[in-house]
Amino acid sequence: MAPCFSFTAYRNRHFRHSFSNAGLKSTTTDLGDNTIIHCWIPHSPNPSKPSLLLLHGLGANAMWQWNDFISPLSHRFNLYVPDLLFFGESHTTRLERSESFQATCVMDMMTRHGVNKMSVVGISYGGFVAYSMAAQFAERVEKVVLCCAGVCFEEKDMDEGMFQVKSVDEAISILLPQTPKKMKELLKLTFVKPTKIMPSCFLNDFIDVMCTEYRQERKELIEALHKDRKLSDLPKITQPTLIIWGEKDQVFPFALAVRLKQHLEENSKLSVIKNAGHAINVEKPKELYKNLKSFLIDPINQSKEENHSNGPKV
């Protein structure tokens, strides 16, 4: 029997064209110690535009998770969209697996691209990395957006029944699916209304292309997030922070959004997207962009209007 058409590879090519058409180019940066970071960066950075860093979550590479947002955001920002280590074309032979190490590598990459200050948006696992960047490099990160990122969960939360899964191993089997059955479990866990009809050949194709490479390393990334995690060890970042959450998130329950808001106090704002699960960037892209616009873009427009109205009058 002939193999199923690779829809995943086709979509990957489509996304590359989409990113290129938005004025971005594919680059790889060698950080030394056998550490390579792949990133989409502006063909020609505009000095008058602020820089915005978009960090993806677990699953597919950065293109799949940010494609819907590239075109509108690129009009307002110099965009930088990296693949985190062990996703896409980014990799290392070093043994560190913490979000702190990911954050250090991403910031090193941004430095080598000549970017000194930036705002950061992180989805799910990318939100853990974004938070760590804001904590480690407070003078360089201006604003932070955390989307369904349970950075304030504790190791004991799983034992106390907060999550749908009962163990880290069970979570890994779903978050890093290796069979169509597990992929369907992942879709059910991350979407409020998952696609009901999904042929196994398409699911197997996606798994082959996106979920097999670096599986052991990704497993270790998840284990590192959970091990010995305590809210008391989480620093309070000082940047203006927008917390965006899917109302029906089953990966990181809404209680964690409330906990994070309380942790950051008046320095943060919480926005809830109705009838959305964990994958808000895929399930509710328009609503997510509306939130990003109000937090990142509208204040810039307002500042420009105020400067114009306060300018010299004839």
Side-chain angles (χ1 to χ4, degrees):
M1 182 176 178
C4 189
F5 167 73
S6 181
F7 176 75
T8 308
Y10 168 78
R11 291 294 286 174
N12 225 38
R13 291 193 297 270
H14 167 75
F15 290 145
R16 293 188 74 89
H17 286 300
S18 179
F19 273 54
S20 295
N21 290 338
L24 302 179
K25 64 180 180 180
S26 173
T27 67
T28 55
T29 303
D30 187 342
L31 304 181
D33 292 330
N34 294 310
T35 301
I36 304 292
I37 295 285
H38 172 264
C39 187
W40 289 90
I41 71 171
H43 271 287
S44 301
N46 186 337
S48 67
K49 289 182 180 179
S51 294
L52 181 63
L53 176 66
L54 304 178
L55 301 179
H56 65 82
L58 296 175
N61 61 43
M63 294 187 298
W64 284 69
Q65 301 190 36
W66 289 115
N67 183 67
D68 288 343
F69 305 88
I70 294 304
S71 181
L73 289 175
S74 63
H75 293 298
R76 302 285 186 166
F77 298 96
N78 292 314
L79 286 184
Y80 295 83
V81 192
D83 288 321
L84 295 173
L85 290 171
F86 307 120
F87 297 89
E89 300 173 45
S90 298
H91 54 88
T92 184
T93 57
R94 294 180 61 172
L95 301 179
E96 291 93 335
R97 298 291 182 263
S98 67
E99 67 263 40
S100 174
F101 177 63
Q102 291 267 19
T104 300
C105 290
V106 173
M107 188 58 85
D108 190 2
M109 179 269 299
M110 293 294 282
T111 300
R112 293 171 188 239
H113 285 302
V115 182
N116 184 44
K117 291 185 179 296
M118 71 214 73
S119 292
V120 187
V121 183
I123 293 177
S124 191
Y125 177 73
F128 286 77
V129 180
Y131 196 100
S132 183
M133 289 184 71
Q136 292 186 70
F137 310 102
E139 73 286 353
R140 297 183 61 182
V141 176
E142 297 176 317
K143 283 187 173 184
V144 182
V145 182
L146 304 172
C147 308
C148 300
V151 294
C152 58
F153 89 88
E154 299 186 280
E155 185 178 29
K156 66 179 182 179
D157 289 331
M158 186 166 289
D159 296 332
E160 295 175 357
M162 173 178 280
F163 302 107
Q164 293 287 320
V165 296
K166 305 305 179 186
S167 68
V168 176
D169 287 340
E170 183 184 353
I172 290 170
S173 73
I174 298 174
L175 295 174
L176 305 177
Q178 298 297 295
T179 65
K181 179 182 177 182
K182 286 299 181 181
M183 179 62 76
K184 290 177 182 178
E185 286 184 38
L186 176 61
L187 293 173
K188 185 177 180 181
L189 187 68
T190 53
F191 288 83
V192 172
K193 295 181 179 180
T195 302
K196 293 182 179 180
I197 301 176
M198 186 64 71
S200 291
C201 71
F202 283 100
L203 296 177
N204 276 320
D205 176 57
F206 184 86
I207 291 168
D208 289 342
V209 177
M210 291 291 173
C211 304
T212 54
E213 191 174 23
Y214 299 121
R215 186 180 187 277
Q216 177 60 31
E217 290 84 354
R218 295 180 190 183
K219 174 178 179 287
E220 292 166 2
L221 294 179
I222 297 173
E223 291 170 341
L225 282 185
H226 177 262
K227 183 175 175 57
D228 299 327
R229 195 173 192 92
K230 296 179 181 178
L231 182 61
S232 59
D233 295 332
L234 187 70
K236 290 187 178 182
I237 59 176
T238 57
Q239 298 87 343
T241 302
L242 175 61
I243 304 165
I244 308 175
W245 224 271
E247 177 189 31
K248 299 180 180 180
D249 192 334
Q250 297 184 84
V251 176
F252 290 122
F254 183 68
L256 292 176
V258 176
R259 184 188 292 177
L260 181 57
K261 177 70 178 72
Q262 293 172 342
H263 182 71
L264 297 179
E265 301 175 322
E266 71 281 352
N267 203 41
S268 64
K269 175 184 176 182
L270 174 59
S271 179
V272 183
I273 298 182
K274 300 291 184 181
N275 297 315
H278 185 70
I280 55 175
N281 53 319
V282 179
E283 198 166 31
K284 298 285 185 177
K286 292 181 179 178
E287 290 83 349
L288 178 54
Y289 177 74
K290 182 179 178 181
N291 279 275
L292 296 178
K293 180 177 179 294
S294 67
F295 184 67
L296 297 172
I297 298 175
D298 290 347
I300 296 175
N301 292 339
Q302 183 179 356
S303 176
K304 288 181 178 179
E305 290 173 1
E306 290 174 353
N307 289 338
H308 180 74
S309 63
N310 293 331
K313 296 179 176 58
V314 178

